[in-house]
Amino acid sequence: MKRHLLAALGCAAMIAGTAGATEATIDTGGDEADQATITRAFGLIGQKQAAQALDLVAPLLTRFDAQIVQAETQGMVFCGPNMMEAIIYATLPGTQKKNGVVLGPQVCDALYAKSYALIELGRRPEALAALQRLTALAPMHGQYFIELGYAYRINGQNDKAEEAYRSALEHADFAEDDKTKKHTRAAARRGIGYMLIEKGDLNGAEKAYRQSLKDDPDSPVARNELDFIAQQRKTAK
């Protein structure tokens, strides 16, 4: 993964230093008022007021949707939840000889808040659609794929859930700091473990949960699932 990251950053340097037929622009600006609205929305979700949170971000999403549609006329479109990912996404259009736009983090955050609120409201298909869109706009953000895996799971699409969790693990090293990397790897492996239990693969699930403990040794979820696996083996004898 580190080799991939270095290659992407090297590609960014080449794009920046080469006058070619394609270019990718990065919107590094952020509207403080928009970010404050999104922060309030997450606060409302935490207070079990998901419907109010959804109403709060709706005007932002309407505006962001228009920006995305406009950006799509220029080429490929991404949103960068952090600067490192934004730089990497800016390299991708050039690999396909296309132009591109990387929108600011508020676009990602607002869509994330929407998906979270929809899950809290039990609107599962809508939440899944929002997360599918979000991971298309930020295709290397592990946390979004963890949420996508959960959304697939609660929508009864287990194979796609496992695939999403594996994508989260694959992209964990693109996180902005070591703490987030560890959190993403651990959560992704717990998701994989859960799906492997559903498939009856107790050996694979045990391996996934034990690997998750390397990054999150105090996880009660992993410990409980390992106890469940042990109990299932006893019952099977």
Side-chain angles (χ1 to χ4, degrees), residues 31-60 63 106 109-110 113-114 116-117:
D31 188 299
E32 292 184 3
D34 288 348
Q35 192 60 57
T37 297
I38 294 165
T39 299
R40 288 200 300 273
F42 276 112
L44 287 169
I45 293 169
Q47 297 167 17
K48 305 299 182 183
Q49 299 180 53
Q52 292 91 324
L54 204 56
D55 289 340
L56 190 62
V57 297
L60 295 186
R63 174 155 47 87
Q106 287 80 13
D109 291 344
K114 175 184 178 180
Y116 212 115

Side-chain angles (χ1 to χ4, degrees), residues 54 110-120 123 126-128 130-131 134 147:
L54 204 56
L111 198 50
Y112 188 29
K114 175 184 178 180
S115 66
Y116 212 115
L118 288 169
I119 285 175
E120 290 295 303
R123 293 162 61 176
E126 292 173 82
L128 176 57
L131 285 161
L134 179 56
E147 301 298 339

Side-chain angles (χ1 to χ4, degrees), residues 153 158-159 161-163 165-166 169 188-211 225 228-229 232-233:
R153 193 174 95 194
N158 286 3
D159 288 345
E162 183 181 341
E163 182 181 344
Y165 287 130
R166 292 191 183 281
L169 182 59
R189 283 175 168 140
R190 287 194 296 266
I192 291 168
Y194 187 95
M195 302 320 302
L196 291 176
I197 288 177
E198 291 292 295
K199 291 167 67 173
D201 182 0
L202 297 184
N203 290 336
E206 180 182 15
K207 180 179 178 181
Y209 280 117
R210 291 199 183 282
Q211 287 177 327
E225 291 299 325
F228 174 78
I229 291 169
Q232 289 295 108
R233 286 177 173 148

Side-chain angles (χ1 to χ4, degrees), residues 9-196:
L9 292 174
C11 184
M14 287 190 292
I15 289 175
T18 302
T22 65
E23 66 174 21
T25 60
I26 301 177
D27 179 3
T28 58
D31 188 299
E32 292 184 3
D34 288 348
Q35 192 60 57
T37 297
I38 294 165
T39 299
R40 288 200 300 273
F42 276 112
L44 287 169
I45 293 169
Q47 297 167 17
K48 305 299 182 183
Q49 299 180 53
Q52 292 91 324
L54 204 56
D55 289 340
L56 190 62
V57 297
L60 295 186
L61 287 165
T62 298
R63 174 155 47 87
F64 293 157
D65 284 343
Q67 291 178 6
I68 292 169
V69 170
Q70 174 61 32
E72 286 173 340
T73 66
Q74 302 176 45
M76 299 174 69
V77 183
F78 304 93
C79 65
N82 56 64
M83 182 50 67
M84 183 175 74
E85 281 186 51
I87 292 171
I88 294 169
Y89 297 153
T91 72
L92 301 182
T95 64
Q96 299 185 37
K97 297 182 179 180
K98 295 181 179 180
N99 294 327
V101 176
V102 183
L103 300 172
Q106 287 80 13
V107 176
C108 291
D109 291 344
L111 198 50
Y112 188 29
K114 175 184 178 180
S115 66
Y116 212 115
L118 288 169
I119 285 175
E120 290 295 303
L121 292 168
R123 293 162 61 176
R124 296 177 177 183
E126 292 173 82
L128 176 57
L131 285 161
Q132 287 171 328
R133 190 179 195 199
L134 179 56
T135 51
L137 289 168
M140 295 180 183
H141 196 75
Q143 183 61 39
Y144 296 160
F145 279 94
I146 290 170
E147 301 298 339
L148 178 64
Y150 177 72
Y152 274 128
R153 193 174 95 194
I154 62 177
N155 277 279
Q157 300 182 52
N158 286 3
D159 288 345
K160 289 185 177 180
E162 183 181 341
E163 182 181 344
Y165 287 130
R166 292 191 183 281
S167 292
L169 182 59
E170 179 183 354
H171 297 130
D173 281 350
F174 288 100
E176 58 268 33
D177 55 58
D178 286 341
K179 181 180 179 180
T180 307
K181 290 175 185 179
K182 289 181 178 181
H183 168 80
T184 303
R185 284 196 300 261
R189 283 175 168 140
R190 287 194 296 266
I192 291 168
Y194 187 95
M195 302 320 302
L196 291 176

